[in-house]
């Protein structure tokens, strides 16, 4: 039986479940001590919890990136928050509840208020609050922590919500995978799991099945599936897959720092998609040939205010100086849709993906947009900047956005600020733009095809809605026909067109895209080597022939069949 | 297209306005009287269109409302000096006392950008700014702004 979940960290694990359950039972019989005693108990518990956190940080220190270490700092901050202490004792004194119950009530309230915020990252912070709460409550109630030290075999953690502390409590190598009922891709536990390369699925439908089985099961973090009661055959197959993943990593080694070249030596630069500062560093280490997509909105999705001009400049400068000789494509804030920043608590739209998002959103908040443009213009002296506008649907939108840039440039320059060379680009992700390229190619300098949205809008199917997921068809010939015509129009004006969506990281699709003449591909830093390897196995001529066949086909099945039959084995 | 020169009849000294709309309307009316624009209401609308994309009160008491508009006959610049500071929703919240209103016809040239740039550069000089604030003859103002004509 297969159960679905959302992948927070990919990979495959086979093992027995290990449950970490709620501590509610320990809380059932707590009592009030004297006010003095409870004050003392509170402070003791906080101190002990802090020392536990510091020990854990120490234990994991060589495995964690600097960024991830902040997770512990933020826990300690919550722990020592004087406001939480004040509220706890206020409740304690105004009612007859025990210290434990008072603390739990205050912390739950705090977590709840965070979880109700619109911003996903704030919602996830509520998990940190709960983690801290549980730690303190376990200390106060002497409810033994889930000691994982005594584990004799490697396990897959099964829990309601995975917390960083849970992850950290496992001895190195003992944790094979994680299954959780709730969670989020950007939660701290997910970030840790990815950096520790531990497969992790959350939003798992039916936890009861796993809980009741208690025997070996399979966590497939490549497909987002859990197989309970696997057959011996399945276990063997997945065992082979684990070996294959390891072998693939071996095979990719020669491509870890190479550059994008076809078998016959034609250069096809492979750039990196980045969302955070650490991604830029990762991209640089993996020898990305520039930044193909810098998702600038991540600068503030986890904040309750907009980043200042200086903060933005600092972030853009870091990216540009990391790639001084290669292009760095910075996309202006692409918010709206499913990404509404906390700073803009706008009314929920009925049709967010067809609503106020991308460039439309920026043009609605001109002061926000102008601040970003000033930061971008100032950063232009540090490298080869491309300013990319998302969700352009009409030429008027592009002109208006361009006018913002020109005006701000003029004002900055007239005040003596230096501005370097830069290009103005647009995302090609709305069909009205993709089908009208001859107008845009005259005015924009650079084009980046956003295949995820382009496919979603072409098939009129919300890509976050499971019921219409079958319509998200990356192998549909019509996609490639449209991409072909976009490339054709851009090349007529001798300009550059790249592709930064999921298609660029699908080795199968890459052969078609390159065959169609795409100039650049941009993928997540972890996939750079996979794409470089695929390029190196195929000659430009073969890919051209393949692409020409694909655009003449009628159904995605035919496309997939053709692509699989022409796969070059390494 | 050559940059418009600032002309004598386009200088308004020691005037006062009640609001941003009053500024736009009154100054545009002057343009209309001189047949520099073809339609008052539509031109004012175009000024507002730009204003909705962020305040043209660029700080330090200076505003540069501008429009690239289909209703402009002759590219023009108006200089207006106010007797008292006007709340213009400037980016630094300063009250506006000096206004340069720019009107350029639609088209592919970036005339308005060139003008904005020239004016902004001129006003960088603190003493120029001060002189604009205190000079009491139109001829003197004209000579200060003469740099724009070069």
């Amino acid at each position: 039986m297969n159960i679905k979940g959302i992948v927070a960290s990919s990979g495959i694990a086979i093992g027995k479940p290990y449950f970490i359950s709620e501590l509610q039972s320990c809380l059932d019989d707590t009592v009030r001590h004297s006010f003095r005693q409870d004050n003392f108990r509170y402070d003791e518990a906080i101190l002990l919890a802090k020392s536990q956190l510091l020990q854990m940080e120490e234990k994991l220190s060589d495995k964690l990136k600097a960024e991830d270490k902040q997770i512990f700092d933020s826990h300690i901050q919550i722990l020592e928050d004087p406001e939480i202490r004040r509220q706890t004792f206020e409740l304690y004194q105004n009612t007859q509840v025990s210290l434990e119950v008072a603390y739990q009530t205050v912390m739950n309230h705090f977590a709840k208020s965070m979880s109700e915020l619109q911003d996903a990252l704030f919602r996830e912070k509520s998990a940190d609050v709960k983690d801290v709460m549980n730690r303190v409550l376990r200390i106060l109630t002497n409810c033994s922590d889930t000691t994982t030290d005594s584990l004799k075999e490697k396990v897959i953690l099964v829990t309601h919500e995975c917390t960083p502390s849970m992850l950290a409590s496992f001895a190195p190598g003992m944790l094979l995978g994680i299954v959780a009922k709730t969670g989020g891709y950007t939660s701290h536990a997910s970030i840790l799991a990815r950096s520790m390369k531990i497969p992790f699925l959350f939003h798992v439908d039916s936890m009861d099945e796993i809980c009741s089985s208690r025997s070996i099961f399979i966590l497939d973090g490549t497909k987002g599936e859990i197989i309970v009661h696997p057959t011996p055959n399945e276990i063997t197959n997945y065992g082979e897959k684990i070996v294959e993943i390891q072998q693939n990593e071996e095979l990719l080694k020669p491509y870890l720092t190479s550059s994008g070249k076809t078998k016959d030596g034609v250069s096809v630069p492979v750039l990196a998609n980045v969302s955070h500062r650490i991604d830029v560093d990762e991209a640089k280490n993996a020898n990305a040939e520039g930044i193909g997509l810098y998702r600038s909105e991540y600068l503030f999705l986890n904040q309750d205010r907009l980043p200042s001009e200086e903060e933005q400049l600092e972030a853009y400068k870091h990216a540009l100086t990391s790639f001084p000789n290669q292009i760095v494509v910075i996309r202006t804030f692409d918010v709206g849709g499913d990404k509404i920043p906390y700073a803009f608590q706008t009314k929920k739209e009925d049709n967010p993906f067809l609503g106020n998002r991308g460039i439309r959103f920026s043009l609605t908040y001109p002061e926000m947009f102008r601040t970003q443009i000033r930061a971008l213009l100032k950063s232009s002296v540090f490298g080869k900047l491309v300013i990319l506008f998302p969700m352009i649907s009409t030429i008027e939108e592009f002109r208006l956005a361009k006018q913002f840039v020109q005006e701000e440039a003029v004002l900055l320059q007239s005040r003596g600020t230096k501005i370097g060379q830069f290009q103005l680009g647009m995302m090609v992700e709305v069909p009205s733009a993709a089908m009208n390229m001859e107008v845009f190619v005259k005015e924009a300098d650079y084009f980046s095809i956003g295949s995820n949205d382009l496919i979603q809008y072409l098939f009129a199917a919300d890509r976050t809605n499971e019921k219409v997921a079958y319509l998200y068809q990356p192998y549909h010939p019509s996609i490639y026909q449209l991409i072909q015509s976009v490339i054709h129009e851009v090349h007529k004006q001798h300009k550059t067109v790249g592709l930064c969506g999921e298609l660029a990281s699908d080795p199968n699709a890459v052969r078609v895209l390159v065959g169609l003449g795409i100039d650049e591909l941009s993928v997540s830093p972890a996939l750079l080597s996979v794409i470089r390897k695929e390029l190196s196995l195929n000659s430009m001529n073969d890919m051209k022939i393949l692409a020409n066949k694909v655009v003449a086909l009628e159904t995605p099945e035919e496309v997939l069949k053709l692509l699989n039959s022409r796969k070059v084995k390494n | 297209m050559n940059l418009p020169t600032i002309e004598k009849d386009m200088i308004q000294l020691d005037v006062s306005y009640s609001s941003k709309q009053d500024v736009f309307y009154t100054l545009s009316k002057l343009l209309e009287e001189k047949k520099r624009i073809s339609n008052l209401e539509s031109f004012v609308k175009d000024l507002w269109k730009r204003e909705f994309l962020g305040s043209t009160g660029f700080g330090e008491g200076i505003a540069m409302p501008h429009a690239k508009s289909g209703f402009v006959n002759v590219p023009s610049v108006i200089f207006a000096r106010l007797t008292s500071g006007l709340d213009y929703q400037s980016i630094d919240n300063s009250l506006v006392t000096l206004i340069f209103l720019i009107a350029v016809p639609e088209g592919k040239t970036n005339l308005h950008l060139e003008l904005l740039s020239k004016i902004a550069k001129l006003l960088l000089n603190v003493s120029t700014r001060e002189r604009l604030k205190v000079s009491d003859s139109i001829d003197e103002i004209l000579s200060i702004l003469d740099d724009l004509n070069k």
Side-chain angles (χ1 to χ4, degrees):
Chain A
M1 147 153 205
N2 295 10
I3 302 167
K4 290 247 176 261
I6 298 175
V7 181
S9 172
S10 76
I12 292 172
I14 306 175
K16 277 192 181 164
Y18 179 83
F19 303 95
I20 296 185
S21 55
E22 310 284 311
L23 86 168
Q24 196 53 46
S25 51
C26 302
L27 282 166
D28 286 347
D29 35 39
T30 54
V31 291
R32 266 171 92 93
H33 301 75
S34 77
F35 181 64
R36 257 181 72 102
Q37 272 177 317
D38 274 334
N39 259 288
F40 182 70
R41 289 178 65 228
Y42 185 95
D43 295 334
E44 283 279 278
I46 299 295
L47 268 179
L48 190 56
K50 187 179 174 181
S51 77
Q52 285 179 356
L53 284 169
L54 291 172
Q55 269 175 26
M56 248 164 17
E57 185 180 0
E58 172 92 43
K59 201 161 105 188
L60 290 174
S61 64
D62 49 332
K63 278 205 214 141
L64 295 179
K65 297 178 193 141
E67 286 249 325
D68 299 339
K69 287 188 185 152
Q70 289 171 4
I71 296 168
F72 290 98
D73 294 340
S74 81
H75 274 204
I76 291 173
Q77 251 175 34
I78 298 170
L79 196 60
E80 294 182 324
D81 190 336
E83 183 58 17
I84 290 169
R85 189 184 201 287
R86 194 191 63 75
Q87 286 184 19
T88 301
F89 281 99
E90 190 177 83
L91 186 68
Y92 176 89
Q93 282 183 301
N94 292 339
T95 61
Q96 285 302 310
V97 297
S98 66
L99 173 62
E100 287 84 347
V101 171
Y103 181 72
Q104 189 186 25
T105 311
V106 168
M107 290 293 272
N108 271 333
H109 184 75
F110 185 28
K112 188 164 172 268
S113 63
M114 299 206 105
S115 68
E116 279 164 358
L117 296 176
Q118 287 240 345
D119 185 338
L121 280 137
F122 262 95
R123 287 203 297 273
E124 279 146 12
K125 208 164 177 190
S126 84
D128 290 350
V129 175
K130 283 195 183 147
D131 194 14
V132 170
M133 174 181 82
N134 290 339
R135 174 173 301 283
V136 172
L137 288 176
R138 277 184 205 280
I139 293 171
L140 283 172
T141 57
N142 275 328
C143 186
S144 62
D145 200 348
T146 45
T147 43
T148 48
D149 293 345
S150 57
L151 279 174
K152 296 276 183 299
E153 54 180 344
K154 298 179 179 184
V155 292
I156 301 177
L157 169 63
V158 180
T159 182
H160 182 79
E161 181 166 17
C162 181
T163 62
S165 327
M166 277 184 200
L167 260 175
S169 67
F170 285 86
M174 294 306 281
L175 186 59
L176 293 168
I178 307 159
V179 176
K181 181 148 184 74
T182 66
Y185 186 78
T186 48
S187 74
H188 283 157
S190 301
I191 297 170
L192 284 174
R194 283 196 291 275
S195 78
M196 293 160 83
K197 293 197 182 254
I198 296 172
F200 179 5
L201 287 192
F202 65 96
H203 257 296
V204 175
D205 305 333
S206 151
M207 294 288 282
D208 298 348
E209 282 294 324
I210 308 166
C211 293
S212 62
S213 89
R214 298 202 170 252
S215 55
I216 279 196
F217 73 104
I218 298 168
L219 188 174
D220 182 350
T222 58
K223 285 197 221 142
E225 263 179 17
I226 288 162
I227 303 167
V228 284
H229 308 302
T231 62
N233 243 341
E234 282 173 322
I235 294 180
T236 321
N237 285 343
Y238 273 94
E240 281 168 5
K241 275 191 192 171
I242 293 178
V243 176
E244 200 182 313
I245 289 176
Q246 285 160 352
Q247 279 174 347
N248 269 340
E249 275 183 20
E250 273 305 303
L251 287 172
L252 285 174
K253 276 192 178 153
Y255 303 98
L256 287 180
T257 55
S258 64
S259 54
K261 257 195 185 91
T262 63
K263 193 179 175 185
D264 46 343
V266 182
S267 170
V268 181
V270 188
L271 294 77
N273 294 344
V274 300
S275 307
H276 304 279
R277 202 186 169 90
I278 43 166
D279 300 340
V280 174
D281 300 337
E282 207 181 314
K284 189 177 162 68
N285 290 337
N287 199 34
E289 295 165 82
I291 300 289
L293 177 67
Y294 186 115
R295 303 183 182 98
S296 65
E297 63 277 8
Y298 281 84
L299 288 173
F300 70 90
L301 279 179
N302 58 345
Q303 300 205 1
D304 55 0
R305 59 175 186 85
L306 290 170
S308 68
E309 191 178 312
E310 292 71 32
E311 285 168 307
Q312 291 188 52
L313 174 58
E314 188 47 47
Y316 306 150
K317 182 182 167 185
H318 173 248
L320 285 156
T321 48
S322 301
F323 293 89
N325 303 314
Q326 287 148 327
I327 61 163
V328 170
V329 183
I330 300 182
R331 183 176 69 188
T332 61
F333 300 144
D334 187 10
V335 296
D338 54 350
K339 292 180 288 192
I340 296 287
Y342 174 57
F344 295 92
Q345 292 245 0
T346 50
K347 203 174 140 256
K348 203 169 160 27
E349 297 180 330
D350 286 339
N351 253 322
F353 282 106
L354 301 180
N356 193 10
R357 59 171 299 208
I359 195 69
R360 309 166 183 179
F361 194 94
S362 288
L363 292 173
T364 321
Y365 296 96
E367 297 307 333
M368 169 196 85
F369 195 35
R370 284 180 189 276
T371 305
Q372 176 169 40
I373 288 169
R374 282 194 293 275
L376 284 167
L377 289 170
K378 285 182 179 173
S379 76
S380 62
V381 292
F382 298 107
K384 298 169 116 179
L385 172 69
V386 179
I387 299 175
L388 188 74
F389 301 126
M391 280 289 287
I392 294 282
S393 353
T394 67
I395 190 69
E396 288 87 349
E397 281 173 339
F398 183 81
R399 286 180 186 154
L400 202 54
K402 186 173 177 172
Q403 189 192 323
F404 271 74
V405 175
Q406 288 176 327
E407 256 186 48
E408 291 303 327
V410 158
L411 291 167
L412 283 177
Q413 279 173 325
S414 64
R415 287 168 192 170
T417 307
K418 273 216 170 97
I419 293 175
Q421 296 274 321
F422 63 91
Q423 292 187 299
L424 284 184
M426 60 178 271
M427 292 286 297
V428 181
E429 54 191 339
V430 180
S432 66
M435 297 165 102
N436 199 18
M437 286 306 287
E438 65 274 20
V439 176
F440 293 97
V441 290
K442 287 183 222 145
E443 300 189 30
D445 309 313
Y446 181 91
F447 301 87
S448 183
I449 299 173
S451 56
N452 306 1
D453 274 327
L454 188 58
I455 296 173
Q456 149 169 291
Y457 294 130
L458 263 186
F459 288 95
D462 181 348
R463 63 185 152 101
T464 61
N465 182 341
E466 264 183 44
K467 289 187 183 115
V468 294
Y470 74 96
L471 282 170
Y472 184 82
Q473 301 200 353
Y475 296 117
H476 200 286
S478 62
I479 308 284
Y480 298 97
Q481 287 156 10
L482 185 57
I483 290 175
Q484 182 181 43
S485 90
V486 170
I487 295 172
H488 180 70
E489 290 297 334
V490 176
H491 284 179
K492 266 199 215 162
Q493 296 286 330
H494 309 289
K495 289 177 179 172
T496 304
V497 52
L499 191 142
C500 63
E502 292 287 323
L503 277 190
S505 41
D506 174 351
N508 250 339
V510 158
R511 289 183 286 151
V512 186
L513 296 170
V514 174
L516 290 173
I518 203 91
D519 299 302
E520 291 168 358
L521 297 161
S522 192
V523 301
S524 87
L527 293 171
L528 287 163
S529 51
V530 178
I531 301 309
R532 291 194 284 240
K533 173 168 163 248
E534 187 65 26
L535 289 172
S536 76
L537 294 175
N538 294 276
S539 75
M540 188 53 109
N541 202 33
D542 288 348
M543 289 189 274
K544 274 186 183 159
I545 294 168
L546 184 70
N548 278 329
K549 284 193 171 145
V550 165
V551 291
L553 294 174
E554 287 175 359
T555 66
E557 289 74 25
E558 290 169 8
V559 172
L560 199 54
K561 202 174 144 201
L562 174 71
L563 291 178
N564 284 333
S565 72
R566 298 292 176 86
K567 214 174 232 168
V568 182
K569 294 275 176 224
N570 37 73
Chain B
M1 194 180 289
N2 289 326
L3 286 176
T5 54
I6 293 212
E7 286 159 34
K8 227 173 182 170
D9 58 356
M10 292 287 115
I11 294 177
Q12 302 279 301
L13 290 189
D14 307 316
V15 284
S16 80
Y17 304 108
S18 59
S19 64
K20 206 184 258 196
Q21 167 67 7
D22 193 16
V23 172
F24 290 1
Y25 193 83
T26 313
L27 294 181
S28 301
K29 197 140 177 48
L30 178 68
L31 292 175
E32 191 199 26
E33 281 161 13
K34 306 284 177 193
K35 305 261 186 297
R36 287 171 172 264
I37 58 171
S38 59
N39 186 317
L40 176 64
E41 305 296 330
S42 305
F43 179 73
V44 170
K45 217 180 251 173
D46 286 339
L47 283 173
W48 274 112
K49 262 192 205 160
R50 166 58 189 83
E51 208 59 28
F52 288 135
L53 302 177
S55 178
T56 54
F58 293 129
E60 309 198 28
I62 299 159
M64 291 188 246
H66 57 274
K68 203 167 160 181
S69 162
F71 303 95
V72 172
N73 302 328
V74 187
S76 310
V77 179
I78 301 183
F79 171 70
R81 185 171 75 195
L82 280 56
T83 43
S84 59
L86 173 71
D87 179 7
Y88 193 93
Q89 297 89 46
S90 295
I91 54 175
D92 62 350
N93 295 319
S94 64
L95 297 179
V96 162
T97 53
L98 301 180
I99 296 174
F100 289 85
L101 184 142
I102 300 169
V104 297
E106 246 171 14
K108 282 191 179 162
T109 61
N110 282 324
L111 208 55
H112 67 298
L113 290 174
E114 283 181 57
L115 278 167
L116 272 180
S117 164
K118 279 207 155 188
I119 297 169
K121 267 185 200 148
L122 185 77
L123 295 175
L124 259 188
N125 188 327
V126 183
S127 78
T128 309
R129 259 186 349 236
E130 286 314 306
R131 277 164 64 212
L132 281 176
K133 283 181 190 165
V134 296
S135 299
D136 44 16
S137 81
I138 288 188
D139 284 328
E140 207 179 326
I141 298 281
L142 209 52
S143 75
I144 299 167
L145 296 180
D146 197 38
D147 280 354
L148 294 180
N149 297 338
K150 284 171 191 162

